[in-house]
Amino acid sequence: MQRVQGLGIWNIYFCIVLMLDWQGRILLQPVANALLAAALLVPLASIRARRLRQCVAIPAGTALLYHETWLPPISRLRDESSVFHFSADYLADIALRFVNWQLLAAMALIALGYMLLKPWLRITTVSLAGLAWLLCLQIPPPSWVRATSDRGETRIGTGSNTPASHPEDLNAKLQQFYEKESQRVTRFPAAAATAQPFDVLIVNICSMAWDDLDAVGLQNHPLFKKMDVVFDNFNSATSYSGPAAIRILRASCGQTSHQTLYQDAPSGCYLFDNLRKLGFDTELALNHDGHFDGFIDDIHEQGQLKSTPFAINDLPRALVAFDGSPIRDDGQVLGHWWQHRLASPVARTALFYNTITMHDGNREILSNGDSRPAGYAPRASRLLDELSTLVDTIQRSGRKVVLIILPEHGAGLRGDRIQMPGLREIPTPVITHIPAAVKLINMTADTPHQPMQIKSPSSFLAISELLSRLYRQSLILPPNYDLSTLLDQLPETAPVSDSGAATVIQSAGRPWVRMKGETDWTPYPSAAP
């Protein structure tokens, strides 16, 4: 009988796979890897047949390993074709981020260890034993074992990278969440001629989460101390710009799945349409052209904010965007709009302002016309300073304005074991935990204070409800914008996020992830890279 051939160089592959699985960096498919190993172990007498098997096995193993990583599926390039519009500089920067030197060093050590040990040990036995052990972990324990381990909440999974053994529990929890959210809606009062006017200014910041601000030491920026309300646990529910804008503009209804965002919503869900019915002149301003990934179309069609963007072409460039388009300075755009507002005769204005100043891959313009990567910290500091100056400017004017700072999502500035810095396919709490804040300018007693903190889990419905309450209080003569009354029992929203590529839900004190097209839930590794 012919002796069974060893796995040879494939032992290095399986050792690397086992190492990555142990670190929680991949979602290992033990059955698929065992089948690959079995196919490689089948004895073949012909050299040509063995070479052909290698030619087939190499792309198969590469595809299998990529499938097991947390990286976006290749199909996402088809769904998100806008990635091809990134500038060459940004694409080069992203490519370099994929290089993990620590991981490459570990792989090199595994390869070196294999070369040194293979004369003394049967490495094939070691690698196959590891795969067999992982296969055994896939066997569900008896029902009586699961029952004894249940305490309060059903036990979901066992290891840091083990798929949920009871996915139906989290699936049911997610379904119950969406069913509850589908019944929630903000009830705005009827418009009244006696209502005292005030303006609404929503500043929608791309790529700013609490974790990003903490990474650059700006979590205690003076702007936040000026605010009247700071939400400590506000969830953006997504990690991309278009869906984020739609969620804000549909804030008057409960949270929906990503897919539902691109379907028609009940008329009462559209926040700016509700404000328009109350007599607000609805306006739109951006510090960019809004064309990337159809962002302006999402605002117009899915958000039902049909206003023409405020003209900014005469303003100088402040940055070059990740796609090569110009970005204007936030202070200049908002200052230009504010002068327009002071000259306008309308009683009430509601402005939706979107800024991409903080977006990954933006570049600063040098004096000679060239550009270089723009650091996150100086951009964030300048933006927050300009918003602080805007508060002071409005304060001096005497006009009543509700300023709402509402970022789209975070930048993922630090990255983690699964997603490199800047990658936001999976909307983890680090990315969706945003610094939402509210300032009632010239609407409350101007006395030194610390902002009131909303510690309960919140999302966009709380903003819509707050604006409804503000309008109700404007009906009182004289208006009494009492913060305690305004903030009492604002709607709470459980931290559920959906980017389309992945859904994240909190359970047993940690985030669980379900990738698109899959049914199993996996605990998201929380350790740093």
Side-chain angles (χ1 to χ4, degrees), residues 328-352:
R328 269 69 183 192
D329 178 74
D330 294 290
Q332 291 188 19
V333 176
L334 287 170
H336 197 40
W337 169 83
W338 181 242
Q339 293 304 312
H340 158 79
R341 175 67 191 104
L342 292 177
S344 173
V346 300
R348 300 175 185 84
T349 291
L351 173 70
F352 181 82

Side-chain angles (χ1 to χ4, degrees), residues 102-412:
Q102 291 181 338
L103 189 58
L104 289 178
M107 292 179 177
L109 287 175
I110 289 175
L112 178 62
Y114 169 77
M115 300 301 294
L116 294 175
L117 293 174
K118 72 174 183 176
W120 310 97
L121 294 175
R122 290 185 178 274
I123 306 298
T124 299
T125 304
V126 176
S127 61
L128 291 180
L131 287 174
W133 175 68
L134 290 172
L135 276 171
C136 291
L137 290 180
Q138 297 293 302
I139 302 174
S143 58
W144 64 270
V145 174
R146 295 199 301 267
T148 57
S149 62
D150 291 341
R151 292 294 184 269
E153 183 172 359
T154 303
R155 176 173 171 267
I156 311 291
T158 54
S160 63
N161 61 334
T162 305
S165 54
H166 301 293
E168 65 275 8
D169 298 310
L170 287 180
N171 288 331
K173 184 175 181 179
L174 181 64
Q175 183 178 357
Q176 291 168 5
F177 170 80
Y178 284 132
E179 288 176 352
K180 177 183 176 182
E181 290 297 299
S182 68
Q183 305 300 317
R184 305 175 80 190
V185 62
T186 301
R187 303 298 179 185
F188 282 85
T194 57
Q196 297 300 298
F198 62 86
D199 294 332
V200 175
L201 170 55
I202 295 180
V203 177
N204 186 217
I205 305 171
C206 177
S207 302
M208 180 178 285
W210 281 117
D211 187 74
D212 302 318
L213 294 177
D214 181 68
V216 295
L218 291 172
Q219 70 275 22
N220 295 316
H221 190 277
L223 172 67
F224 297 114
K225 294 181 173 59
K226 285 185 178 181
M227 307 305 285
D228 293 310
V229 183
V230 173
F231 290 85
D232 289 343
N233 290 291
F234 197 100
N235 181 42
S236 71
T238 188
S239 54
Y240 284 104
S241 299
I246 297 170
R247 290 188 183 279
I248 294 170
L249 295 173
R250 295 187 181 186
S252 297
C253 286
Q255 186 173 318
T256 69
S257 66
H258 175 86
Q259 182 180 5
T260 308
L261 293 177
Y262 294 90
Q263 301 171 3
D264 291 337
S267 59
C269 295
Y270 298 102
L271 176 61
F272 271 65
D273 190 52
N274 289 327
L275 293 175
R276 181 187 59 79
K277 293 174 181 176
L278 295 177
F280 287 84
D281 182 46
T282 56
E283 296 184 335
L284 172 64
L286 319 168
N287 75 334
H288 54 104
D289 61 24
H291 293 152
F292 183 80
D293 205 21
F295 181 78
I296 195 71
D297 296 329
D298 286 342
I299 290 176
H300 286 163
E301 301 304 323
Q302 313 304 332
Q304 289 296 298
L305 178 54
K306 302 288 190 178
S307 305
T308 301
F310 193 70
I312 60 171
N313 289 336
D314 292 338
L315 299 177
R317 292 187 306 167
L319 296 165
V320 176
F322 53 92
D323 62 346
S325 62
I327 299 177
R328 269 69 183 192
D329 178 74
D330 294 290
Q332 291 188 19
V333 176
L334 287 170
H336 197 40
W337 169 83
W338 181 242
Q339 293 304 312
H340 158 79
R341 175 67 191 104
L342 292 177
S344 173
V346 300
R348 300 175 185 84
T349 291
L351 173 70
F352 181 82
Y353 174 67
N354 178 267
T355 169
I356 63 168
T357 293
M358 303 310 306
H359 196 288
D360 189 36
N362 291 344
R363 301 175 67 85
E364 61 178 316
I365 302 171
L366 303 178
S367 57
N368 62 0
D370 292 337
S371 64
R372 66 183 178 188
Y376 189 93
R379 282 183 288 151
S381 179
R382 182 180 177 87
L383 173 57
L384 296 177
D385 287 346
E386 289 175 335
L387 291 177
S388 183
T389 299
L390 177 66
V391 171
D392 297 338
T393 300
I394 297 175
Q395 192 91 49
R396 290 192 298 269
S397 75
R399 295 193 68 91
K400 294 179 173 60
V401 177
V402 181
L403 171 63
I404 303 174
I405 297 174
L406 204 56
E408 297 175 356
H409 51 72

